[in-house]
Amino acid sequence: MNIDRNDVMDGAVKAFEGHGGKYDVRLFKMNLDKNIDALYEALQDGSYVMFLNYRKLTKVNNDGKIRHIDSPSLITRIYQHTFMLKMLPLYNNLDPEIAYNCKEGYGITARNKDKSMMHHLKNIYFDKIEYNYCLILDQRHCYEHVTTKLFRKSLKKLTTDREMIDFGVNVCMVNGKLPIGTPTSPFVHHVIMLGFDKYIKDICKDAIRFADDNFIPFETKEEAQQTKWRVKNYWWYELGIRAKHNTTSIRPLSIPTDFCGYIYHRNISQTDHHNKGYVTMRKRTAKAAMNVKNNKSWASYFGLMKNANCYSLMTLIEQRNMKLNKLTEKIRINRSLDAKNIEMKYVEGNIITVIDYEIRQNKGVDNWIKCLIGMEELDDNKPTGRILAREFHGNYQGIIQFIRAVEKKYKKEEILPIEDAEIINQCGYIFRDSTNQIKYIEND
């Protein structure tokens, strides 16, 4: 088996993460080298199986679902991480990257947009308007249906090392079943789903899987219907897993769709407009957020809501029972060209610097501009020496047309910043001297 002592040490370091204050971890670290040697020797002679044990726990989720957890001992967890660290590179080389759960850097709202499930779904709903339907499927008790035989068969697609396969089966499975609550369980599920992930991506390159939940967009309802039966047959005949009947559905993307806790809305009449759609939360989640009694509980809901279009709801909750200013000291969201808004009448006649701008369209026609500007700060009509950041936005055609004309000759990065600019009102707001105004009427 291709595992050395350093691999076991790496597995131990990974197993310590988030558990550093626990007694068993502190005790293990007191004789770290000696304990690592013992684990490695047990791995070499196969006696490691004697050290594998779990603690049975029962937990109740917020939705009332009861889960029976198999909590691994520290030594079991070390072996699990050792196995996972060795197999991850092999899995990553074959991963078609449609799964977004329990992988480093991935998540529902990951910072890296390429690894963010929400960013991918927004792209489907707001920009890829060729998609009209989606197929949503959920696996029925997927962990309970993962057998040792299935896991062994799936591992053979990653490695031919029989001892490594045996090691993985021994440390990842409990009594022939995939346990809930171990660090390797999501990885095992990824391994057995690898063939399906590749299969479904060949059908639709924008397919999404989050654990046992699947979202697959299509142009026509007929394509979605055909794929529904292909997926069900694949799961049953290849994996021995059934699809949930009550959650499998084919839905028009024009209807708001709930997926992994967020509800995605497409604005059909505004597909080319900057208001292409929006994201909200489930009603029961929003209701629970409204009923929180302390800032500690509210912080977790704030983390969920800041990624959706829930600003009004967040403000309402803050006004009712929370001290939002305590949260915003550490948590803030980023918005494009974000600064304090200023009405155009207060910009008019002042010398400004245009720092950046964004122009949006409706049905291919420029109809909206947002400008981030710098203005000299005044105190009692005297300059303070500081430059205020402000933004204005709207359908200012005179400004839009002038900037578009400039863009035909220069790149945007060459234009900015536009210094010593002045906006005046001449049948609409324009930059001073940016139009060819008629000064005299010529007599024939």
Side-chain angles (χ1 to χ4, degrees), residues 39-50:
L39 293 185
Y40 179 61
E41 290 173 7
L43 194 59
Q44 292 296 99
D45 61 24
S47 63
Y48 69 90
V49 294
M50 304 295 294

Side-chain angles (χ1 to χ4, degrees), residues 12-244:
V13 172
K14 196 70 176 176
F16 296 155
E17 292 180 2
H19 301 273
K22 293 183 178 179
Y23 175 74
D24 56 351
V25 174
R26 289 188 280 112
L27 190 64
F28 192 94
K29 285 183 174 180
M30 290 175 64
N31 294 291
L32 182 61
D33 289 331
K34 183 179 178 180
N35 288 329
I36 294 297
D37 288 337
L39 293 185
Y40 179 61
E41 290 173 7
L43 194 59
Q44 292 296 99
D45 61 24
S47 63
Y48 69 90
V49 294
M50 304 295 294
F51 299 102
L52 303 177
N53 61 82
Y54 299 82
R55 185 162 54 103
K56 297 291 185 180
L57 300 174
T58 299
K59 293 188 176 182
V60 181
N61 291 353
N62 292 332
D63 59 3
K65 183 183 293 185
I66 298 175
R67 292 189 178 275
H68 300 288
I69 307 296
D70 290 285
S71 177
S73 66
L74 174 60
I75 292 176
T76 305
R77 198 164 66 244
I78 290 173
Y79 280 134
Q80 289 177 338
H81 280 290
T82 301
F83 168 76
M84 197 156 49
L85 289 173
K86 293 295 292 183
M87 297 303 294
L88 266 173
L90 301 178
Y91 170 82
N92 291 336
N93 287 338
L94 300 175
D95 182 17
E97 299 181 331
I98 72 165
Y100 288 84
N101 68 295
C102 301
K103 298 195 301 186
E104 187 173 0
Y106 286 80
I108 294 178
T109 57
R111 292 184 179 181
N112 184 340
K113 291 184 177 181
D114 293 334
K115 298 180 179 181
S116 166
M117 190 197 75
M118 178 177 282
H119 179 75
H120 191 168
L121 271 170
K122 283 182 176 180
N123 191 31
I124 292 171
Y125 269 85
F126 305 160
D127 297 313
K128 296 189 175 182
I129 58 175
E130 66 271 19
Y131 291 129
N132 298 302
Y133 291 88
C134 68
L135 168 63
I136 297 177
L137 301 99
D138 186 7
Q139 294 175 338
R140 182 176 179 269
H141 301 306
C142 64
Y143 275 26
E144 295 180 14
H145 291 92
V146 175
T147 62
T148 298
K149 181 180 179 181
L150 174 61
F151 184 37
R152 191 180 294 275
K153 175 184 174 182
S154 302
L155 283 175
K156 289 179 180 178
K157 298 177 182 179
L158 300 181
T159 180
T160 58
D161 187 336
R162 291 189 176 183
E163 291 185 339
M164 180 66 79
I165 293 174
D166 290 339
F167 177 55
V169 170
N170 288 335
V171 301
C172 295
M173 306 294 286
V174 177
N175 298 324
K177 298 292 184 180
L178 181 61
I180 297 173
T182 70
T184 50
S185 295
F187 176 68
V188 172
H189 188 249
H190 283 315
V191 170
I192 69 155
M193 292 296 291
L194 182 59
F196 170 76
D197 289 348
K198 296 166 69 175
Y199 170 75
I200 204 64
K201 188 167 185 177
D202 288 339
I203 295 176
C204 176
K205 62 183 178 64
D206 288 309
I208 292 172
R209 180 173 68 80
F210 193 89
D212 54 358
D213 294 316
N214 296 262
F215 179 100
I216 312 168
F218 295 96
E219 294 185 20
T220 66
K221 188 175 183 178
E222 289 73 21
E223 291 175 312
Q225 189 70 26
Q226 291 173 2
T227 303
K228 180 182 76 172
W229 293 109
R230 289 181 182 178
V231 170
K232 285 188 172 184
N233 288 335
Y234 187 102
W235 285 355
W236 178 243
Y237 290 107
E238 295 292 328
L239 306 177
I241 297 176
R242 294 184 183 275
K244 286 184 180 179

Side-chain angles (χ1 to χ4, degrees), residues 311-371:
Y311 180 79
S312 297
L313 178 58
M314 293 166 69
T315 303
L316 177 62
I317 294 173
E318 184 272 330
Q319 290 173 346
R320 287 182 55 183
N321 20 330
M322 295 297 111
K323 294 180 180 179
L324 185 60
N325 62 312
K326 294 298 181 182
L327 290 174
T328 54
E329 288 176 1
K330 295 183 178 180
I331 305 173
R332 296 191 179 185
I333 59 176
N334 294 319
R335 299 191 299 176
S336 177
L337 311 184
D338 196 19
K340 187 176 181 180
N341 176 256
I342 186 171
E343 295 183 32
M344 189 62 87
K345 62 183 179 180
Y346 298 118
V347 178
E348 182 183 353
N350 290 291
I351 302 301
I352 63 173
T353 299
V354 179
I355 309 299
D356 199 359
Y357 65 86
E358 178 185 358
I359 298 176
R360 296 178 183 176
Q361 298 181 331
N362 181 20
K363 297 182 179 180
V365 178
D366 296 330
N367 76 327
W368 188 87
I369 187 170
K370 182 176 184 179
C371 289

